[in-house]
Amino acid sequence: MRRIKYGIWCLLIVISLMAGGITAYAEGEGKAAAAREGVVRILVDWPDGYSTGTGFGVGEPGADADTFVTNWHVVTSSGQYDYREGKVYILLDDETWFKYGWIPLAPGEQMVEGGDYGQDGQGNVYKKLIIDVHLGAAVECEVLYAENEYPDVAVIRTAEPVKNVKTLPLRKVSEGNVGEDVLAIGYPGSADSGSLTYTEDGAETEKIKASVTAVSVSGGVVSRCIPLEIFGNTDCIVHGAHINHGNSGGPLVLKKDGSVIGINTYGYGEQSMEYSVSIYIDYAIGILDQLGLPYTMAKDGGQGLSGQLVIILAGVGILAVLAVVLVVVRKKQKGKAAASAGSPAAVPAFQPAPGPSGGDAMYGAPSQLRLQGLTGVFAGRRFQLKPETRMGRDPQRCDFVYPAGTKGISGLHCIISQGPAGLTVTDVGSTWGTTVNGTKLVPNQPCPLNIGDRICLGSVEEEFQITGKGGAV
């Protein structure tokens, strides 16, 4: 009878393991599908036409987005215009359209490279021009960041959150992403083919679709993560998810959990769009930090599991349970004796190290901690502390990036970390040093921190304070 009970117990545990794995897998697939709700179509109205691209929302988890990441080249027009010469919009429905007419070339007028021209049966040349525009539901955006250089990143913002457009979680790129399934999400121009209609007068009307149902999703596998010289040595993800003109600025998400690891930017190869290239999301994270804008990092827990991994885990679970049962049966009496003798008291998993002010080092959820700028470049701005915050001028090594040439700040200056020892700061051999409450740190030796402690990078001209959420000290 006891063996039967043990057998039933084993089966229940195995079933729960398999169910849990399958549930995690289903949740991951669901998050990837839901990522469409954070993707928007961007339209820029220029003096002589328009261009479109894709963007995606970032910010607090679960909130409606008011900040969006895209490509620099989405908010420019082939390098001829920048965002100050046009109006940037986020489209919200499928009701924006442009009506085109064919206008004969004036006597002596020459065709311009890149223009759209046609001929009639008599050899007369006509040029295609917009003769009417209708803008559907749209929200105008302010461009917060757009630099004409690699990496190709821009950040735009609306005056108010856009209802029902969600923020997406971000995840820094690693070599472990090679071989993983990814999805490129956006509004490629190729998906608009066939949307032209012809009016009675022969004019063409082109609809620009921007609803969630119009979003295109293509899948592929990450083949490599490397800097590409042809794109200014920008760190890039090369993958097989097809992208096309219009996909630019959209998110590359991990299929297993819907987190964004890249910005869809380039297509290259001997054939058009032979390879798809997304730049590291790490670049956008650095820019958001510089601007003091919130974003959500994906959690390592709760990621979807592949079917193969579920089977492996289930098998391991079966073996583990059987081993436990054997031990319990064989050592039952011994276990009872040990239990009657009592067991030692529990010991804490860690003991916080003393802080600079003599009290215990503070340890809490990173989401509740802030780095408040007191002086210098980031004075008056507050930043959320992550499990590890790397500070300095080098965007390749830091996620809290100072402007190039900031006096007294090294490429990688210091690292603020939170782990079993509590909150600490480590100077990593910077030229001008790091101080905590006026005491200069020994390089490469972690120093415990408390809420209220002050950190100076290089000098008091670049000073921060550790605070709680809302600036509490």
Side-chain angles (χ1 to χ4, degrees), residues 375-396:
T375 64
V377 175
F378 301 104
R381 293 161 67 180
R382 188 180 303 122
F383 305 89
Q384 178 176 319
L385 279 174
K386 301 186 284 291
E388 181 177 271
T389 302
R390 304 170 71 87
M391 305 177 71
R393 290 184 293 103
D394 186 355
Q396 303 296 325

Side-chain angles (χ1 to χ4, degrees), residues 350-417:
F350 70 92
Q351 291 292 339
S357 58
D360 286 342
M362 172 271 301
Y363 184 79
S367 62
Q368 300 300 315
L369 303 179
R370 299 293 185 268
L371 189 65
Q372 174 72 50
L374 301 179
T375 64
V377 175
F378 301 104
R381 293 161 67 180
R382 188 180 303 122
F383 305 89
Q384 178 176 319
L385 279 174
K386 301 186 284 291
E388 181 177 271
T389 302
R390 304 170 71 87
M391 305 177 71
R393 290 184 293 103
D394 186 355
Q396 303 296 325
R397 294 181 291 166
C398 303
D399 44 27
F400 188 106
V401 184
Y402 269 86
T406 303
K407 185 177 180 181
I409 305 298
S410 297
L412 176 57
H413 197 102
C414 65
I415 302 174
I416 299 177
S417 306

Side-chain angles (χ1 to χ4, degrees), residues 15 25 31 75 121 149 153 235 240 273 277 297 305 310 323 325 375 381 388 466:
I15 291 171
Y25 179 71
K31 289 179 180 178
V75 294
E149 58 184 17
V153 181
D235 288 327
M273 303 298 179
V277 177
M297 294 298 294
L305 303 175
V310 169
V325 171
T375 64
R381 293 161 67 180
E388 181 177 271
I466 303 298

Side-chain angles (χ1 to χ4, degrees), residues 17-253:
L17 283 172
M18 295 182 68
I22 294 170
T23 300
Y25 179 71
E27 287 178 352
E29 294 283 310
K31 289 179 180 178
R36 296 189 311 161
E37 298 177 2
V39 179
V40 295
R41 191 161 200 174
I42 297 171
L43 180 141
V44 188
D45 185 11
W46 305 109
D48 62 353
Y50 75 97
S51 61
T52 63
T54 303
F56 57 94
V58 296
E60 300 291 347
D64 290 336
D66 64 358
T67 303
F68 300 85
V69 172
T70 184
N71 283 137
W72 167 81
H73 74 260
V74 168
V75 294
T76 66
S77 179
S78 303
Q80 298 179 31
Y81 305 107
D82 67 19
Y83 59 89
R84 287 173 288 268
E85 299 181 67
K87 290 186 177 181
V88 181
Y89 296 94
I90 286 176
L91 303 182
L92 302 176
D93 61 16
D94 298 336
E95 300 305 317
T96 294
W97 52 259
F98 293 82
K99 185 178 292 186
Y100 297 91
W102 293 94
I103 311 298
L105 290 183
E109 183 180 358
Q110 300 295 318
M111 289 187 291
V112 178
E113 183 178 356
D116 198 348
Y117 300 93
Q119 288 185 329
D120 61 14
Q122 288 73 42
N124 298 314
V125 178
Y126 291 80
K127 60 183 178 181
K128 186 178 179 180
L129 293 177
I130 298 176
I131 58 177
D132 195 9
V133 177
H134 172 75
L135 197 62
V139 181
E140 188 170 355
C141 301
E142 174 190 7
V143 178
L144 300 181
Y145 179 93
E147 296 292 336
N148 183 9
E149 58 184 17
Y150 294 109
D152 192 340
V153 181
V155 177
I156 62 178
R157 185 169 61 185
T158 56
E160 299 291 339
V162 182
K163 189 176 181 181
N164 298 325
V165 177
K166 302 304 180 184
T167 61
L168 300 184
L170 313 181
R171 183 184 298 280
K172 289 190 174 182
V173 182
S174 71
E175 279 298 318
N177 295 130
V178 175
E180 291 195 295
D181 292 325
V182 290
L183 302 174
I185 307 178
Y187 295 89
S190 58
D192 293 331
S193 59
S195 64
L196 293 179
T197 58
Y198 294 85
T199 60
E200 294 181 359
D201 60 3
E204 298 176 358
T205 301
E206 180 181 359
K207 272 198 169 184
I208 308 299
K209 296 184 177 181
S211 62
V212 172
T213 57
V215 174
S216 291
V217 179
S218 63
V221 175
V222 174
S223 58
R224 53 182 179 164
C225 299
I226 59 170
L228 293 177
E229 186 177 356
I230 59 174
F231 302 128
N233 287 317
T234 299
D235 288 327
C236 295
I237 305 166
V238 183
H239 57 89
H242 182 71
I243 62 176
N244 192 271
H245 299 295
N247 270 119
S248 292
L252 182 73
V253 306

Side-chain angles (χ1 to χ4, degrees), residues 317-335:
I318 293 172
L319 293 175
V321 169
L322 290 176
V324 170
V325 171
L326 288 174
V327 171
V328 170
V329 171
R330 292 178 181 179
K331 298 187 176 182
K332 183 177 179 182
Q333 295 301 322
K334 186 177 180 180

